[in-house]
mmCIF file of all heavy atoms in Angstrom:
data_model
loop_
_atom_site.group_PDB
_atom_site.id
_atom_site.type_symbol
_atom_site.label_atom_id
_atom_site.label_comp_id
_atom_site.label_asym_id
_atom_site.label_seq_id
_atom_site.Cartn_x
_atom_site.Cartn_y
_atom_site.Cartn_z
ATOM 1 N N ALA A 146 90.958 80.788 95.222
ATOM 2 C CA ALA A 146 91.911 79.789 94.741
ATOM 3 C C ALA A 146 91.175 78.583 94.140
ATOM 4 O O ALA A 146 90.289 78.003 94.770
ATOM 5 C CB ALA A 146 92.818 79.342 95.881
ATOM 6 N N SER A 147 91.555 78.248 92.917
ATOM 7 C CA SER A 147 90.927 77.109 92.229
ATOM 8 C C SER A 147 91.769 75.846 92.355
ATOM 9 O O SER A 147 91.374 74.779 91.881
ATOM 10 C CB SER A 147 90.729 77.442 90.748
ATOM 11 O OG SER A 147 91.979 77.744 90.141
ATOM 12 N N LYS A 148 92.938 75.971 93.006
ATOM 13 C CA LYS A 148 93.829 74.817 93.203
ATOM 14 C C LYS A 148 94.694 75.097 94.430
ATOM 15 O O LYS A 148 94.618 76.167 95.039
ATOM 16 C CB LYS A 148 94.702 74.606 91.960
ATOM 17 C CG LYS A 148 95.631 75.775 91.663
ATOM 18 C CD LYS A 148 96.491 75.512 90.437
ATOM 19 C CE LYS A 148 97.466 76.679 90.196
ATOM 20 N NZ LYS A 148 98.340 76.444 89.031
ATOM 21 N N GLU A 149 95.494 74.132 94.787
ATOM 22 C CA GLU A 149 96.394 74.304 95.925
ATOM 23 C C GLU A 149 97.669 75.026 95.477
ATOM 24 O O GLU A 149 98.212 74.747 94.399
ATOM 25 C CB GLU A 149 96.762 72.942 96.509
ATOM 26 C CG GLU A 149 95.591 72.195 97.118
ATOM 27 C CD GLU A 149 94.994 72.926 98.314
ATOM 28 O OE1 GLU A 149 95.775 73.513 99.099
ATOM 29 O OE2 GLU A 149 93.760 72.924 98.454
ATOM 30 N N TYR A 150 98.120 75.966 96.292
ATOM 31 C CA TYR A 150 99.365 76.689 96.023
ATOM 32 C C TYR A 150 100.347 76.422 97.152
ATOM 33 O O TYR A 150 99.969 76.439 98.332
ATOM 34 C CB TYR A 150 99.102 78.196 95.903
ATOM 35 C CG TYR A 150 98.351 78.595 94.658
ATOM 36 C CD1 TYR A 150 96.954 78.619 94.650
ATOM 37 C CD2 TYR A 150 99.034 78.932 93.496
ATOM 38 C CE1 TYR A 150 96.253 78.991 93.510
ATOM 39 C CE2 TYR A 150 98.341 79.301 92.347
ATOM 40 C CZ TYR A 150 96.949 79.325 92.359
ATOM 41 O OH TYR A 150 96.266 79.678 91.228
ATOM 42 N N GLU A 151 101.588 76.209 96.782
ATOM 43 C CA GLU A 151 102.615 75.877 97.763
ATOM 44 C C GLU A 151 102.795 77.016 98.767
ATOM 45 O O GLU A 151 102.862 78.179 98.394
ATOM 46 C CB GLU A 151 103.943 75.595 97.050
ATOM 47 C CG GLU A 151 105.036 75.085 97.970
ATOM 48 C CD GLU A 151 106.310 74.755 97.209
ATOM 49 O OE1 GLU A 151 106.330 74.916 95.973
ATOM 50 O OE2 GLU A 151 107.288 74.342 97.859
ATOM 51 N N ASN A 152 102.839 76.664 100.048
ATOM 52 C CA ASN A 152 103.090 77.620 101.134
ATOM 53 C C ASN A 152 102.049 78.752 101.169
ATOM 54 O O ASN A 152 102.366 79.879 101.556
ATOM 55 C CB ASN A 152 104.488 78.230 101.017
ATOM 56 C CG ASN A 152 105.577 77.178 101.119
ATOM 57 O OD1 ASN A 152 105.468 76.253 101.921
ATOM 58 N ND2 ASN A 152 106.606 77.303 100.291
ATOM 59 N N SER A 153 100.818 78.443 100.763
ATOM 60 C CA SER A 153 99.744 79.440 100.782
ATOM 61 C C SER A 153 98.472 78.802 101.321
ATOM 62 O O SER A 153 98.308 77.578 101.268
ATOM 63 C CB SER A 153 99.485 79.998 99.381
ATOM 64 O OG SER A 153 100.657 80.606 98.857
ATOM 65 N N LEU A 154 97.564 79.638 101.818
ATOM 66 C CA LEU A 154 96.288 79.171 102.319
ATOM 67 C C LEU A 154 95.170 79.520 101.341
ATOM 68 O O LEU A 154 95.200 80.578 100.725
ATOM 69 C CB LEU A 154 95.982 79.808 103.680
ATOM 70 C CG LEU A 154 96.941 79.476 104.826
ATOM 71 C CD1 LEU A 154 96.605 80.321 106.052
ATOM 72 C CD2 LEU A 154 96.885 77.994 105.164
ATOM 73 N N ASN A 155 94.221 78.617 101.202
ATOM 74 C CA ASN A 155 93.018 78.855 100.406
ATOM 75 C C ASN A 155 92.029 79.608 101.292
ATOM 76 O O ASN A 155 91.583 79.084 102.316
ATOM 77 C CB ASN A 155 92.426 77.525 99.932
ATOM 78 C CG ASN A 155 91.168 77.692 99.113
ATOM 79 O OD1 ASN A 155 90.245 78.399 99.497
ATOM 80 N ND2 ASN A 155 91.131 77.019 97.971
ATOM 81 N N TYR A 156 91.667 80.832 100.915
ATOM 82 C CA TYR A 156 90.901 81.716 101.783
ATOM 83 C C TYR A 156 89.591 81.096 102.265
ATOM 84 O O TYR A 156 89.311 81.059 103.467
ATOM 85 C CB TYR A 156 90.619 83.028 101.049
ATOM 86 C CG TYR A 156 89.883 84.068 101.875
ATOM 87 C CD1 TYR A 156 90.496 84.696 102.950
ATOM 88 C CD2 TYR A 156 88.572 84.431 101.558
ATOM 89 C CE1 TYR A 156 89.829 85.649 103.704
ATOM 90 C CE2 TYR A 156 87.891 85.390 102.303
ATOM 91 C CZ TYR A 156 88.524 86.002 103.366
ATOM 92 O OH TYR A 156 87.865 86.945 104.112
ATOM 93 N N GLU A 157 88.762 80.612 101.349
ATOM 94 C CA GLU A 157 87.455 80.087 101.729
ATOM 95 C C GLU A 157 87.581 78.842 102.612
ATOM 96 O O GLU A 157 86.842 78.674 103.588
ATOM 97 C CB GLU A 157 86.603 79.785 100.493
ATOM 98 C CG GLU A 157 86.115 81.029 99.757
ATOM 99 C CD GLU A 157 85.203 81.922 100.598
ATOM 100 O OE1 GLU A 157 84.495 81.395 101.480
ATOM 101 O OE2 GLU A 157 85.208 83.142 100.374
ATOM 102 N N GLN A 158 88.526 77.967 102.291
ATOM 103 C CA GLN A 158 88.745 76.790 103.131
ATOM 104 C C GLN A 158 89.242 77.203 104.506
ATOM 105 O O GLN A 158 88.805 76.656 105.533
ATOM 106 C CB GLN A 158 89.749 75.852 102.465
ATOM 107 C CG GLN A 158 89.240 75.183 101.199
ATOM 108 C CD GLN A 158 90.286 74.281 100.562
ATOM 109 O OE1 GLN A 158 91.389 74.108 101.103
ATOM 110 N NE2 GLN A 158 89.952 73.723 99.408
ATOM 111 N N TRP A 159 90.130 78.159 104.529
ATOM 112 C CA TRP A 159 90.710 78.650 105.789
ATOM 113 C C TRP A 159 89.636 79.259 106.689
ATOM 114 O O TRP A 159 89.604 79.017 107.891
ATOM 115 C CB TRP A 159 91.809 79.652 105.447
ATOM 116 C CG TRP A 159 92.482 80.343 106.593
ATOM 117 C CD1 TRP A 159 93.330 79.777 107.507
ATOM 118 C CD2 TRP A 159 92.393 81.732 106.925
ATOM 119 N NE1 TRP A 159 93.772 80.741 108.393
ATOM 120 C CE2 TRP A 159 93.217 81.937 108.050
ATOM 121 C CE3 TRP A 159 91.702 82.803 106.367
ATOM 122 C CZ2 TRP A 159 93.360 83.195 108.642
ATOM 123 C CZ3 TRP A 159 91.849 84.058 106.944
ATOM 124 C CH2 TRP A 159 92.670 84.247 108.067
ATOM 125 N N LEU A 160 88.709 80.055 106.099
ATOM 126 C CA LEU A 160 87.658 80.697 106.884
ATOM 127 C C LEU A 160 86.799 79.681 107.625
ATOM 128 O O LEU A 160 86.355 79.928 108.754
ATOM 129 C CB LEU A 160 86.745 81.544 105.984
ATOM 130 C CG LEU A 160 87.148 82.968 105.611
ATOM 131 C CD1 LEU A 160 85.976 83.661 104.935
ATOM 132 C CD2 LEU A 160 87.627 83.773 106.799
ATOM 133 N N THR A 161 86.535 78.538 106.995
ATOM 134 C CA THR A 161 85.625 77.560 107.603
ATOM 135 C C THR A 161 86.173 76.982 108.905
ATOM 136 O O THR A 161 85.425 76.354 109.657
ATOM 137 C CB THR A 161 85.335 76.406 106.623
ATOM 138 O OG1 THR A 161 86.566 75.734 106.292
ATOM 139 C CG2 THR A 161 84.679 76.919 105.356
ATOM 140 N N ASP A 162 87.438 77.188 109.185
ATOM 141 C CA ASP A 162 88.037 76.686 110.426
ATOM 142 C C ASP A 162 87.674 77.537 111.638
ATOM 143 O O ASP A 162 87.997 77.170 112.772
ATOM 144 C CB ASP A 162 89.567 76.641 110.307
ATOM 145 C CG ASP A 162 90.049 75.600 109.312
ATOM 146 O OD1 ASP A 162 89.294 74.644 109.048
ATOM 147 O OD2 ASP A 162 91.178 75.739 108.793
ATOM 148 N N PHE A 163 86.994 78.682 111.403
ATOM 149 C CA PHE A 163 86.793 79.629 112.493
ATOM 150 C C PHE A 163 85.313 79.956 112.680
ATOM 151 O O PHE A 163 84.523 79.936 111.728
ATOM 152 C CB PHE A 163 87.588 80.910 112.213
ATOM 153 C CG PHE A 163 89.048 80.644 111.970
ATOM 154 C CD1 PHE A 163 89.568 80.659 110.681
ATOM 155 C CD2 PHE A 163 89.888 80.337 113.024
ATOM 156 C CE1 PHE A 163 90.900 80.385 110.447
ATOM 157 C CE2 PHE A 163 91.228 80.063 112.804
ATOM 158 C CZ PHE A 163 91.744 80.083 111.520
ATOM 159 N N PRO A 164 84.908 80.263 113.934
ATOM 160 C CA PRO A 164 83.495 80.518 114.240
ATOM 161 C C PRO A 164 82.993 81.827 113.659
ATOM 162 O O PRO A 164 83.754 82.774 113.461
ATOM 163 C CB PRO A 164 83.472 80.552 115.771
ATOM 164 C CG PRO A 164 84.863 80.928 116.173
ATOM 165 C CD PRO A 164 85.760 80.312 115.137
ATOM 166 N N LYS A 165 81.678 81.869 113.415
ATOM 167 C CA LYS A 165 81.048 83.057 112.842
ATOM 168 C C LYS A 165 80.666 84.081 113.907
ATOM 169 O O LYS A 165 80.374 85.230 113.589
ATOM 170 C CB LYS A 165 79.789 82.665 112.056
ATOM 171 C CG LYS A 165 80.063 81.767 110.868
ATOM 172 C CD LYS A 165 78.764 81.370 110.177
ATOM 173 C CE LYS A 165 79.035 80.460 108.986
ATOM 174 N NZ LYS A 165 77.780 80.056 108.302
ATOM 175 N N GLU A 166 80.622 83.647 115.138
ATOM 176 C CA GLU A 166 80.230 84.551 116.215
ATOM 177 C C GLU A 166 81.299 84.562 117.294
ATOM 178 O O GLU A 166 82.281 83.848 117.225
ATOM 179 C CB GLU A 166 78.897 84.097 116.841
ATOM 180 C CG GLU A 166 77.704 84.295 115.946
ATOM 181 C CD GLU A 166 77.100 82.985 115.495
ATOM 182 O OE1 GLU A 166 77.517 81.943 116.010
ATOM 183 O OE2 GLU A 166 76.228 83.018 114.608
ATOM 184 N N GLY A 167 81.042 85.422 118.265
ATOM 185 C CA GLY A 167 81.861 85.390 119.467
ATOM 186 C C GLY A 167 83.211 86.058 119.370
ATOM 187 O O GLY A 167 84.078 85.788 120.200
ATOM 188 N N PHE A 168 83.389 86.926 118.387
ATOM 189 C CA PHE A 168 84.686 87.616 118.345
ATOM 190 C C PHE A 168 84.600 88.910 119.145
ATOM 191 O O PHE A 168 83.775 89.780 118.865
ATOM 192 C CB PHE A 168 85.131 87.928 116.918
ATOM 193 C CG PHE A 168 86.535 88.475 116.883
ATOM 194 C CD1 PHE A 168 87.619 87.607 116.891
ATOM 195 C CD2 PHE A 168 86.779 89.845 116.906
ATOM 196 C CE1 PHE A 168 88.910 88.092 116.901
ATOM 197 C CE2 PHE A 168 88.072 90.328 116.921
ATOM 198 C CZ PHE A 168 89.139 89.457 116.919
ATOM 199 N N GLU A 169 85.462 89.030 120.118
ATOM 200 C CA GLU A 169 85.525 90.239 120.932
ATOM 201 C C GLU A 169 86.627 91.130 120.369
ATOM 202 O O GLU A 169 87.806 90.806 120.442
ATOM 203 C CB GLU A 169 85.818 89.899 122.390
ATOM 204 C CG GLU A 169 85.768 91.107 123.309
ATOM 205 C CD GLU A 169 85.919 90.731 124.771
ATOM 206 O OE1 GLU A 169 85.739 89.537 125.099
ATOM 207 O OE2 GLU A 169 86.223 91.629 125.574
ATOM 208 N N GLY A 170 86.222 92.245 119.775
ATOM 209 C CA GLY A 170 87.178 93.121 119.105
ATOM 210 C C GLY A 170 88.221 93.696 120.047
ATOM 211 O O GLY A 170 87.973 93.890 121.240
ATOM 212 N N GLU A 171 89.378 93.963 119.489
ATOM 213 C CA GLU A 171 90.461 94.592 120.236
ATOM 214 C C GLU A 171 90.041 96.010 120.628
ATOM 215 O O GLU A 171 89.514 96.758 119.802
ATOM 216 C CB GLU A 171 91.713 94.655 119.357
ATOM 217 C CG GLU A 171 92.942 95.212 120.029
ATOM 218 C CD GLU A 171 93.560 94.245 121.019
ATOM 219 O OE1 GLU A 171 93.272 93.027 120.924
ATOM 220 O OE2 GLU A 171 94.328 94.704 121.885
ATOM 221 N N PRO A 172 90.245 96.409 121.893
ATOM 222 C CA PRO A 172 89.945 97.796 122.273
ATOM 223 C C PRO A 172 90.750 98.775 121.413
ATOM 224 O O PRO A 172 91.961 98.623 121.259
ATOM 225 C CB PRO A 172 90.376 97.860 123.742
ATOM 226 C CG PRO A 172 90.338 96.441 124.215
ATOM 227 C CD PRO A 172 90.723 95.604 123.030
ATOM 228 N N LEU A 173 90.050 99.742 120.841
ATOM 229 C CA LEU A 173 90.687 100.690 119.934
ATOM 230 C C LEU A 173 90.521 102.110 120.446
ATOM 231 O O LEU A 173 89.508 102.448 121.065
ATOM 232 C CB LEU A 173 90.071 100.593 118.531
ATOM 233 C CG LEU A 173 90.300 99.293 117.755
ATOM 234 C CD1 LEU A 173 89.426 99.269 116.506
ATOM 235 C CD2 LEU A 173 91.765 99.132 117.386
ATOM 236 N N GLU A 174 91.495 102.941 120.148
ATOM 237 C CA GLU A 174 91.403 104.370 120.398
ATOM 238 C C GLU A 174 91.364 105.063 119.039
ATOM 239 O O GLU A 174 91.934 104.565 118.055
ATOM 240 C CB GLU A 174 92.582 104.861 121.235
ATOM 241 C CG GLU A 174 92.539 106.335 121.630
ATOM 242 C CD GLU A 174 91.205 106.743 122.244
ATOM 243 O OE1 GLU A 174 90.895 106.315 123.361
ATOM 244 O OE2 GLU A 174 90.475 107.497 121.563
ATOM 245 N N GLU A 175 90.682 106.196 118.947
ATOM 246 C CA GLU A 175 90.530 106.866 117.654
ATOM 247 C C GLU A 175 91.856 107.338 117.070
ATOM 248 O O GLU A 175 91.968 107.547 115.860
ATOM 249 C CB GLU A 175 89.565 108.035 117.771
ATOM 250 C CG GLU A 175 89.998 109.133 118.725
ATOM 251 C CD GLU A 175 88.911 110.187 118.891
ATOM 252 O OE1 GLU A 175 87.732 109.828 119.076
ATOM 253 O OE2 GLU A 175 89.263 111.381 118.820
ATOM 254 N N THR A 176 92.867 107.480 117.901
ATOM 255 C CA THR A 176 94.183 107.901 117.408
ATOM 256 C C THR A 176 95.013 106.729 116.882
ATOM 257 O O THR A 176 96.118 106.939 116.373
ATOM 258 C CB THR A 176 94.965 108.613 118.523
ATOM 259 O OG1 THR A 176 94.975 107.778 119.696
ATOM 260 C CG2 THR A 176 94.324 109.949 118.870
ATOM 261 N N ASP A 177 94.490 105.504 116.986
ATOM 262 C CA ASP A 177 95.205 104.351 116.439
ATOM 263 C C ASP A 177 95.224 104.430 114.916
ATOM 264 O O ASP A 177 94.267 104.883 114.286
ATOM 265 C CB ASP A 177 94.527 103.042 116.863
ATOM 266 C CG ASP A 177 94.687 102.756 118.348
ATOM 267 O OD1 ASP A 177 95.676 103.237 118.946
ATOM 268 O OD2 ASP A 177 93.828 102.050 118.912
ATOM 269 N N ILE A 178 96.301 103.970 114.326
ATOM 270 C CA ILE A 178 96.416 103.944 112.863
ATOM 271 C C ILE A 178 95.471 102.881 112.300
ATOM 272 O O ILE A 178 95.448 101.741 112.775
ATOM 273 C CB ILE A 178 97.861 103.650 112.423
ATOM 274 C CG1 ILE A 178 98.811 104.740 112.938
ATOM 275 C CG2 ILE A 178 97.944 103.555 110.895
ATOM 276 C CD1 ILE A 178 98.512 106.130 112.424
ATOM 277 N N ALA A 179 94.685 103.266 111.306
ATOM 278 C CA ALA A 179 93.763 102.334 110.642
ATOM 279 C C ALA A 179 94.300 101.899 109.281
ATOM 280 O O ALA A 179 94.203 100.725 108.915
ATOM 281 C CB ALA A 179 92.396 102.980 110.471
ATOM 282 N N SER A 180 94.844 102.859 108.530
ATOM 283 C CA SER A 180 95.238 102.590 107.139
ATOM 284 C C SER A 180 96.673 103.036 106.888
ATOM 285 O O SER A 180 97.100 104.089 107.387
ATOM 286 C CB SER A 180 94.324 103.336 106.162
ATOM 287 O OG SER A 180 92.967 103.050 106.422
ATOM 288 N N LEU A 181 97.368 102.251 106.113
ATOM 289 C CA LEU A 181 98.684 102.626 105.595
ATOM 290 C C LEU A 181 98.585 102.515 104.079
ATOM 291 O O LEU A 181 98.546 101.417 103.525
ATOM 292 C CB LEU A 181 99.778 101.713 106.154
ATOM 293 C CG LEU A 181 101.200 101.918 105.629
ATOM 294 C CD1 LEU A 181 101.647 103.367 105.797
ATOM 295 C CD2 LEU A 181 102.167 100.977 106.338
ATOM 296 N N LEU A 182 98.496 103.663 103.422
ATOM 297 C CA LEU A 182 98.232 103.717 101.981
ATOM 298 C C LEU A 182 99.450 104.274 101.254
ATOM 299 O O LEU A 182 99.951 105.344 101.613
ATOM 300 C CB LEU A 182 97.022 104.612 101.718
ATOM 301 C CG LEU A 182 95.722 104.192 102.409
ATOM 302 C CD1 LEU A 182 94.774 105.362 102.534
ATOM 303 C CD2 LEU A 182 95.071 103.063 101.639
ATOM 304 N N TYR A 183 99.887 103.588 100.232
ATOM 305 C CA TYR A 183 101.093 104.001 99.521
ATOM 306 C C TYR A 183 100.747 104.794 98.262
ATOM 307 O O TYR A 183 99.916 104.375 97.457
ATOM 308 C CB TYR A 183 101.959 102.780 99.189
ATOM 309 C CG TYR A 183 102.772 102.348 100.392
ATOM 310 C CD1 TYR A 183 102.197 101.582 101.393
ATOM 311 C CD2 TYR A 183 104.088 102.769 100.559
ATOM 312 C CE1 TYR A 183 102.917 101.212 102.524
ATOM 313 C CE2 TYR A 183 104.818 102.407 101.691
ATOM 314 C CZ TYR A 183 104.225 101.639 102.664
ATOM 315 O OH TYR A 183 104.948 101.290 103.788
ATOM 316 N N THR A 184 101.394 105.953 98.135
ATOM 317 C CA THR A 184 101.209 106.790 96.955
ATOM 318 C C THR A 184 101.886 106.140 95.761
ATOM 319 O O THR A 184 102.657 105.191 95.901
ATOM 320 C CB THR A 184 101.787 108.192 97.178
ATOM 321 O OG1 THR A 184 103.191 108.068 97.467
ATOM 322 C CG2 THR A 184 101.102 108.877 98.355
ATOM 323 N N SER A 185 101.637 106.692 94.587
ATOM 324 C CA SER A 185 102.062 106.047 93.347
ATOM 325 C C SER A 185 103.559 105.968 93.166
ATOM 326 O O SER A 185 104.066 105.108 92.460
ATOM 327 C CB SER A 185 101.444 106.775 92.145
ATOM 328 O OG SER A 185 101.812 108.141 92.160
ATOM 329 N N GLY A 186 104.312 106.888 93.784
ATOM 330 C CA GLY A 186 105.756 106.822 93.680
ATOM 331 C C GLY A 186 106.298 107.143 92.305
ATOM 332 O O GLY A 186 107.257 106.530 91.846
ATOM 333 N N THR A 187 105.697 108.123 91.607
ATOM 334 C CA THR A 187 106.135 108.454 90.246
ATOM 335 C C THR A 187 107.483 109.174 90.239
ATOM 336 O O THR A 187 108.148 109.240 89.220
ATOM 337 C CB THR A 187 105.093 109.344 89.547
ATOM 338 O OG1 THR A 187 104.836 110.483 90.378
ATOM 339 C CG2 THR A 187 103.808 108.581 89.326
ATOM 340 N N THR A 188 107.894 109.739 91.359
ATOM 341 C CA THR A 188 109.172 110.456 91.407
ATOM 342 C C THR A 188 110.101 109.832 92.441
ATOM 343 O O THR A 188 110.913 110.497 93.030
ATOM 344 C CB THR A 188 108.936 111.937 91.759
ATOM 345 O OG1 THR A 188 108.210 112.020 92.995
ATOM 346 C CG2 THR A 188 108.158 112.625 90.667
ATOM 347 N N GLY A 189 109.989 108.540 92.669
ATOM 348 C CA GLY A 189 110.818 107.852 93.647
ATOM 349 C C GLY A 189 110.026 106.719 94.263
ATOM 350 O O GLY A 189 108.978 106.314 93.758
ATOM 351 N N ASP A 190 110.544 106.177 95.367
ATOM 352 C CA ASP A 190 109.829 105.104 96.039
ATOM 353 C C ASP A 190 108.477 105.609 96.544
ATOM 354 O O ASP A 190 108.353 106.770 96.952
ATOM 355 C CB ASP A 190 110.657 104.590 97.219
ATOM 356 C CG ASP A 190 111.870 103.787 96.760
ATOM 357 O OD1 ASP A 190 111.784 103.148 95.693
ATOM 358 O OD2 ASP A 190 112.896 103.807 97.466
#
């Protein structure tokens, strides 16, 4: 973002509010969903 946008956050400015270390990841199981990818929808939604 090169300027302020209404009701939006500037990514780089927002990141600086948070620490670079010390994040304890959420426990995950391999059967958990990782990606939700949408097909092109050429014949419908």
Side-chain angles (χ1 to χ4, degrees):
S147 59
K148 63 179 183 179
E149 295 297 322
Y150 290 89
E151 187 177 0
N152 299 320
S153 301
L154 297 173
N155 179 311
Y156 183 69
E157 289 298 330
Q158 292 179 3
W159 176 70
L160 276 190
T161 61
D162 292 337
F163 305 103
K165 297 177 180 180
E166 290 113 8
F168 187 84
E169 185 174 343
E171 183 74 20
L173 293 170
E174 184 50 69
E175 62 186 46
T176 52
D177 290 334
I178 299 299
S180 307
L181 176 54
L182 302 158
Y183 280 81
T184 59
S185 57
T187 54
T188 56
D190 288 329

